[in-house]
Amino acid sequence: MKKKLALLLAMVMLFSATGCKKEEVVEEPQQEIQTEFELAECGLSYTIPDAWVETENTNLIPISFVNVSGEIYAKIQYNYAPDENMEPLNDPESTIPVEELMTPIAEMLVVKTENLEAEAVKNELALFNNVEEIGVEGDFHFYYMTDYATGIEHFSDDAKDTFEELASYLPELRESIEISLPDEEAVAKTAEENGKYLNFITNTLEGDPITTAVFYEYDMTVVNFWASYCEEEGINELDTLQDFYKDLQKKYPNVNFVQVVIDTPGEKAEEIVAEAYDKAGVTFTGIMPDQNLASWIMDNLNGLPTTIFVDSTGKPADLKIEGMQDASYYMETTETMLAKFDTAK
């Protein structure tokens, strides 16, 4: 298998840094690989070693975020995945944990002085055996971390050899790093734009990984927001939503339906929802919100249940259905919104 290199770094605005989105890596046609990065939002510039581009069996997958109000201001992490792990990484249905498929080879971290003792920062630094503070610019501290603490024992012998070869060029990466005062204004503008979309990296109620990529597979997705405490208060339309979902699969297979249960994860809430799902014979996907999705919910919903319509890019329409409705109303509104999305293309 020829080498692939995913190095087109996108500064994704996330509020949770505990997971990663599975990135589709296209082998053909071979594109010119970007190796020099100037990231004003992070206050970082650096150059990828040429040897990383030339080494066989190399899949380097970047994870990055900037969060002005977060305990960790910015993070750029490069992960190595061997060729044999790329198929499950690219498969949104795969249940293999991401951390078993790829391992960080290097990370750059930016933290404000006021957050140096924050738990999230301490936990992040503890993930690596080698931690170097590169320097300080204004109120920002910059760290360079290597030698991931959990090691690479889960890789094959060939993958271990490739990882070690890539790691041998880490001094070259470190030498290229330059720091500057981060551009917080640019970050704020990007955050405002990204706030228009639903972004998440989380799990289903069954514990399977799920990301925003679930929207990309359909022309439109109907998203219902509910909570376990609604069930306790007698606010339950699961039978109606299941009937709607079954009809939707038959009539519009290009439209999906998912439900976000906003007070999960949590043992009690999950037990209540599991019992309610079982009683209603639910076959649609239930989602636990991560911090990013929870933040969107707080900013955009007035009450429960609420149903919205999301296009194939993850951008919700302005229309919201608030309160419980019958299946025919959901279907009629879905047809109206699908026509609007099709017209907007």
Side-chain angles (χ1 to χ4, degrees):
M1 195 175 203
K2 301 297 287 182
K3 67 176 180 289
K4 310 186 194 82
L5 195 60
L7 287 176
L8 302 179
L9 189 66
M11 298 311 298
V12 181
M13 301 301 299
L14 298 177
F15 290 89
S16 172
T18 56
C20 78
K21 176 180 173 181
K22 294 182 177 182
E23 300 286 351
E24 182 178 359
V25 183
V26 181
E27 184 171 2
E28 298 293 344
Q30 191 81 18
Q31 296 182 349
E32 183 178 351
I33 297 168
Q34 181 181 356
T35 59
E36 296 183 2
F37 296 90
E38 293 187 8
L39 307 174
E41 299 93 336
C42 301
L44 284 164
S45 64
Y46 59 92
T47 302
I48 297 298
D50 289 338
W52 280 13
V53 179
E54 299 164 358
T55 304
E56 293 292 331
N57 191 19
T58 298
N59 307 285
L60 287 177
I61 302 173
I63 299 173
S64 62
F65 74 91
V66 181
N67 180 7
V68 173
S69 59
E71 292 181 343
I72 296 175
Y73 175 84
K75 166 181 168 179
I76 300 173
Q77 182 185 91
Y78 281 92
N79 296 268
Y80 166 69
D83 284 342
E84 59 264 28
N85 290 354
M86 291 309 294
E87 184 174 349
L89 270 175
N90 285 329
D91 181 6
E93 302 298 324
S94 173
T95 59
I96 303 174
V98 171
E99 57 268 22
E100 294 182 11
L101 298 172
M102 64 186 191
T103 294
I105 189 169
E107 179 173 317
M108 288 163 271
L109 204 67
V110 185
V111 181
K112 288 187 175 181
T113 302
E114 65 193 58
N115 294 319
L116 289 177
E117 298 301 318
E119 198 67 25
V121 175
K122 291 180 178 179
N123 291 339
E124 192 69 23
L125 295 175
L127 293 175
F128 295 84
N129 292 321
N130 295 329
V131 176
E132 175 193 356
E133 183 171 2
I134 300 173
V136 180
E137 289 287 337
D139 197 32
F140 295 86
H141 295 249
F142 296 79
Y143 295 90
Y144 175 67
M145 294 123 71
T146 59
D147 190 10
Y148 196 62
T150 59
I152 54 173
E153 293 307 311
H154 52 290
F155 284 155
S156 67
D157 289 342
D158 286 345
K160 289 177 184 176
D161 290 342
T162 301
F163 186 95
E164 295 296 342
E165 181 179 355
L166 295 172
S168 70
Y169 295 98
L170 285 172
E172 184 178 330
L173 171 62
R174 168 63 186 91
E175 184 67 24
S176 73
I177 298 174
E178 296 182 1
I179 63 174
S180 60
L181 193 65
D183 187 345
E184 294 184 81
E185 183 177 347
V187 174
K189 290 181 179 178
T190 304
E192 181 180 357
E193 181 62 27
N194 284 349
K196 300 175 183 178
Y197 294 81
L198 288 183
N199 289 310
F200 54 85
I201 301 169
T202 185
N203 293 313
T204 67
L205 293 173
E206 288 75 31
D208 297 327
I210 188 169
T211 75
T212 309
V214 70
F215 298 133
Y216 309 158
E217 302 167 23
Y218 296 90
D219 292 340
M220 186 177 77
T221 301
V222 184
V223 182
N224 175 267
F225 296 88
W226 188 61
S228 70
Y229 55 78
C230 292
E231 167 70 3
E232 295 179 309
E233 296 172 3
I235 303 173
N236 182 337
E237 58 179 344
L238 293 178
D239 289 326
T240 295
L241 295 175
Q242 176 60 24
D243 289 342
F244 165 65
Y245 177 59
K246 288 170 62 178
D247 290 343
L248 194 63
Q249 287 181 302
K250 295 176 184 176
K251 194 169 185 180
Y252 298 104
N254 61 325
V255 178
N256 193 22
F257 174 82
V258 298
Q259 183 177 70
V260 178
V261 183
I262 72 167
D263 60 340
T264 58
E267 184 175 350
K268 181 181 178 182
E270 290 176 50
E271 288 178 358
I272 292 172
V273 175
E275 184 177 343
Y277 271 31
D278 184 62
K279 184 177 179 180
V282 166
T283 58
F284 54 76
T285 299
I287 299 174
M288 303 182 190
D290 63 358
Q291 284 182 289
N292 200 38
L293 186 51
S295 178
W296 187 93
I297 292 168
M298 291 293 293
D299 291 340
N300 292 276
L301 299 190
N302 298 317
L304 298 175
T306 295
T307 302
I308 64 172
F309 301 86
V310 181
D311 69 14
S312 59
T313 70
K315 186 176 183 178
D318 292 334
L319 177 68
K320 297 183 181 73
I321 300 175
E322 297 181 335
M324 295 191 295
Q325 306 291 337
D326 59 35
S328 62
Y329 182 86
Y330 282 122
M331 183 60 75
E332 290 170 4
T333 310
T334 295
E335 292 173 339
T336 298
M337 295 306 299
L338 183 59
K340 287 185 177 180
F341 281 151
D342 286 341
T343 301
K345 287 181 179 179

